[in-house]
């Protein structure tokens, strides 16, 4: 009885959010040290601590904002460090930890399963180890296919050795929604704005990685849209709507803009509008010159970045399901309904409350960070807002201000990328004490709102 009591007390005190946050911080610290090594950079001079910290954070948090150009600054060693940080950060260090434990024949305890649940944002503890095996296998399979397609395409441009390396790096970066490239001089995919093979492959990698492993596994198991869970249906529906919404608006708003779509053929306009409609919700690759976007397109991009991708995947933002639940809750309120219903199912009130909490937390974090940057940086408000939302949503798009940020600005964006990757609520849970619910409720009293 005494042993059982001690284990129960230990479990109650165990805080998965806290452990997850500490794990990401340790991974960032290791990456920072490796990137500061002299042989990690081509000029053999180590990066300044703040720059190395920023680069390690953007890789681990699969964001994509960079203060130095990855290709021209880092040696092959430095680039491989960045690639590994992206892979581990994208899938979650716990996923790799469990994989190693399984190889060593270790038993996966309850605390480890709770960590997986927190890391992959799952609703239930059931099948956690099986999910980890699927995540690892599916990831390597999709990344391998993407790397082969990209390598074949780039073979004629760079030769096979470099093409294979480029294919592997960009496939990992795309699937994990990092958006970090090694094209040089911050060019990203602008040199391939007319290349349907590259833009289509990269965009599909982004979307597959961004919709979430739960949805992918659900689709593979049930193989029928009608049999899918409500979560999977909502993620797929919202993904299609947002891609169409983003593509259409960018096509219309940038159609005659000579700095972006204006000089392209109709086919290339559609291709690049589609690509730009996909990447803001997931990763920061860009085929258009971001600095030439109209103010309206910047606003659309900010909105798409803030919404993000699917829960349990490698995308950032508040997540499409969070956005959709809030929309449904507001619509139900307008119609005078007490319940939030969709596709003949009722959404639990605790999920609705959590969706509103995530959105309020996220909005508060974004605006607080924006306020700080208006003090420390000399840039227009729209440029700073774009940078802040991109960092929080772990997208990596920028209007060109990132390398010119002050030291304080770099540290602020570094913290924001970490908060965005781990999640504002997870950070709050990590800082809060783990308490059991009180065995009582206070008397209700209404207040006037609105």
């Amino acid at each position: 009885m005494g042993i059982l009591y001690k284990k129960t007390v230990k479990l109650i005190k165990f805080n998965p959010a806290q452990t997850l946050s500490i794990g990401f911080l340790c991974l960032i610290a290791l990456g920072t040290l490796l990137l500061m090594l002299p042989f990690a950079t081509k000029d053999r001079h180590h990066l300044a601590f703040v720059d190395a910290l920023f680069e390690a954070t953007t890789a681990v948090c699969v964001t994509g904002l960079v203060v130095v150009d990855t290709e021209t600054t880092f040696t092959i060693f430095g680039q491989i460090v960045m690639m590994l940080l992206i892979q581990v950060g994208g899938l979650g260090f716990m996923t790799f930890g469990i994989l190693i434990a399984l190889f060593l024949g270790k038993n996966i305890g309850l605390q480890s399963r709770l960590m997986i649940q927190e890391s992959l944002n799952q609703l239930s503890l059931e099948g956690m180890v099986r999910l980890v095996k699927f995540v690892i296998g599916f990831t390597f399979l999709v990344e391998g296919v993407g790397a082969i397609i990209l390598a074949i395409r780039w073979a004629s441009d760079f030769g096979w050795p470099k093409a294979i390396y480029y294919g592997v790096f960009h496939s990992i970066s795309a699937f994990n929604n990092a958006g970090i490239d090694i094209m040089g001089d911050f060019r990203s995919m602008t040199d391939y704005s007319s290349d349907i093979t590259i833009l289509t492959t990269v965009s599909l990698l982004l979307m597959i990685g961004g919709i979430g492993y739960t949805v992918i596994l659900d689709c593979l198991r049930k193989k029928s849209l009608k049999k899918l869970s409500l979560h999977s249906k909502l993620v797929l529906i919202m993904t299609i709507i947002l891609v169409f919404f983003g593509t259409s608006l960018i096509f219309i708003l940038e159609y005659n803009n000579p700095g972006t779509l204006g000089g392209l053929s109709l086919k290339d306009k559609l291709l690049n509008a589609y690509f730009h409609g996909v990447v803001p919700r997931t990763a920061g690759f860009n085929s258009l010159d971001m600095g030439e976007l109209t103010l309206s397109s910047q606003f659309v991009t900010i909105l798409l970045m803030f919404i993000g991708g699917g829960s349990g995947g490698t995308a950032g933002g508040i997540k499409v399901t969070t956005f959709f639940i809030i929309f449904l809750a507001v619509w139900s309120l307008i119609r005078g309904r007490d319940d939030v219903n969709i596709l003949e199912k009722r959404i639990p009130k605790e999920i609705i409350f959590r969706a509103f909490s995530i959105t309020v937390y996220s909005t508060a974090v974004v605006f607080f960070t924006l306020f700080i940057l208006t003090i420390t940086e000399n840039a227009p408000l729209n440029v700073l807002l774009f940078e802040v939302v991109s960092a929080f949503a772990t997208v990596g798009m920028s209007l060109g201000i990132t390398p010119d940020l002050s030291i304080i600005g770099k540290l602020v964006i570094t913290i924001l990328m970490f908060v965005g990757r781990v999640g504002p609520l997870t950070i709050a849970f990590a800082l809060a004490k783990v308490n059991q619910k009180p065995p009582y409720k206070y008397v209700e009293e209404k207040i006037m709102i609105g």
Side-chain angles (χ1 to χ4, degrees):
M1 248 340 247
I3 296 174
L4 180 60
Y5 173 76
K6 289 180 180 179
K7 287 185 176 180
T8 305
V9 171
K10 185 178 180 182
L11 183 60
I12 291 174
K13 292 182 178 180
F14 174 66
N15 189 334
Q18 191 175 71
T19 308
L20 184 66
S21 301
I22 293 172
F24 271 106
L25 286 173
C26 292
L27 189 59
I28 290 170
L30 176 62
T32 302
L33 292 175
L34 291 174
L35 292 178
M36 287 183 68
L37 295 174
F39 49 83
T41 52
K42 291 184 176 179
D43 61 4
R44 300 298 176 180
H45 295 293
H46 67 78
L47 286 179
F49 171 75
V50 173
D51 290 343
L53 176 64
F54 192 101
E55 292 292 313
T57 304
T58 197
V60 171
C61 299
V62 290
T63 304
L65 292 173
V66 291
V67 291
V68 296
D69 183 69
T70 308
E71 197 279 332
T72 57
T73 301
F74 294 113
T75 59
I76 296 296
F77 171 80
Q79 293 173 18
I80 291 176
V81 168
M82 290 286 287
M83 182 171 64
L84 292 177
L85 291 175
I86 291 169
Q87 185 75 87
V88 178
L91 294 181
F93 68 94
M94 271 306 300
T95 304
F96 282 95
I98 296 300
L99 181 66
I100 293 172
L102 290 174
F103 274 127
L104 296 176
K106 303 288 185 180
N107 290 325
I108 309 302
L110 182 56
Q111 289 190 1
S112 296
R113 293 172 191 269
L114 287 169
M115 282 295 300
I116 302 170
Q117 182 186 20
E118 183 75 23
S119 178
L120 297 177
N121 199 16
Q122 297 298 298
L123 298 176
S124 170
L125 275 173
E126 184 181 358
M128 285 296 102
V129 175
R130 187 167 62 251
L131 179 61
V132 167
K133 292 178 180 179
F134 169 77
V135 166
I136 294 293
F138 183 80
T139 296
F140 289 158
L141 174 63
V142 175
E143 287 178 349
V145 172
I148 291 171
I149 295 173
L150 293 175
I152 293 173
R153 168 57 189 85
W154 276 323
S156 59
D157 294 347
F158 307 114
W160 276 108
K162 192 172 185 179
I164 293 172
Y165 174 61
Y166 268 38
V168 171
F169 189 100
H170 290 96
S171 183
I172 290 175
S173 182
F175 181 80
N176 289 285
N177 285 235
I180 297 175
D181 67 273
I182 46 176
M183 292 298 171
D185 298 325
F186 301 98
R187 291 198 305 270
S188 191
M189 296 293 164
T190 53
D191 290 347
Y192 299 96
S193 59
S194 298
D195 196 309
I196 190 172
T197 301
I198 291 177
L199 295 190
T200 302
T201 302
V202 170
S203 65
L204 288 176
L205 286 168
L206 295 175
M207 284 192 286
I208 293 171
I211 63 174
Y213 298 107
T214 305
V215 177
I216 295 169
L217 185 58
D218 199 24
C219 291
L220 292 175
R221 281 178 174 174
K222 297 177 180 176
K223 301 177 182 178
S224 172
L225 184 60
K226 292 182 179 180
K227 296 179 180 179
L228 294 179
S229 67
L230 180 61
H231 171 78
S232 299
K233 290 177 181 178
L234 293 184
V235 170
L236 294 174
I237 290 170
M238 284 301 297
T239 297
I240 294 171
I241 290 174
L242 290 175
V243 169
F244 178 78
F245 169 80
T247 300
S248 301
L249 283 181
I250 295 300
F251 181 78
I252 294 169
L253 296 172
E254 298 295 320
Y255 190 88
N256 292 318
N257 184 353
T260 54
L261 298 182
L264 302 177
S265 65
L266 179 60
K267 176 181 72 69
D268 290 340
K269 285 180 179 180
L270 288 170
L271 176 63
N272 285 271
Y274 154 75
F275 191 74
H276 193 88
V278 171
V279 292
R281 295 181 42 254
T282 47
F285 290 115
N286 58 281
S287 61
L288 303 175
D289 187 345
M290 299 300 299
E292 296 294 330
L293 289 176
T294 62
L295 199 59
S296 301
S297 295
Q298 291 177 23
F299 178 80
V300 171
T301 305
I302 289 171
L303 179 60
L304 292 173
M305 288 193 296
F306 188 73
I307 294 173
S311 298
T314 56
I318 62 171
K319 304 300 188 293
V320 292
T321 43
T322 304
F323 174 78
F324 195 46
I325 285 173
I326 291 175
F327 172 80
L328 290 175
V330 173
W331 181 245
S332 296
L333 179 65
I334 293 172
R335 298 178 66 190
R337 303 281 181 84
D338 291 332
D339 294 328
V340 176
N341 303 315
I342 182 70
L343 299 177
E344 300 181 348
K345 297 291 178 65
R346 179 169 55 87
I347 306 297
K349 282 185 168 35
E350 59 267 24
I351 299 297
I352 299 170
F353 183 77
R354 186 180 178 90
F356 273 101
S357 299
I358 289 172
T359 305
V360 171
Y361 265 95
S362 301
T363 304
V365 168
V366 165
F367 277 98
F368 178 72
T369 308
L370 178 63
F371 172 71
I372 295 176
L373 291 186
T374 57
I375 299 173
T376 63
E377 310 305 315
N378 182 23
L381 185 63
N382 65 300
V383 175
L384 293 176
L385 178 61
F386 196 100
E387 192 82 5
V388 168
V389 175
S390 179
F392 172 77
T394 66
V395 175
M397 283 185 159
S398 175
L399 297 179
I401 191 180
T402 314
D404 300 322
L405 289 171
S406 65
I407 292 178
I408 295 177
K410 290 177 182 177
L411 290 174
V412 168
I413 292 295
T414 299
I415 295 172
L416 186 60
M417 289 190 292
F418 174 76
V419 172
R421 176 66 181 95
V422 178
L425 280 185
T426 303
I427 297 292
F429 292 152
L431 296 175
K433 293 181 179 179
V434 181
N435 293 321
Q436 291 179 301
K437 293 181 180 180
Y440 57 84
K441 289 185 178 180
Y442 291 108
V443 176
E444 284 187 351
E445 183 172 346
K446 295 182 178 180
I447 59 173
M448 292 183 290
I449 59 173

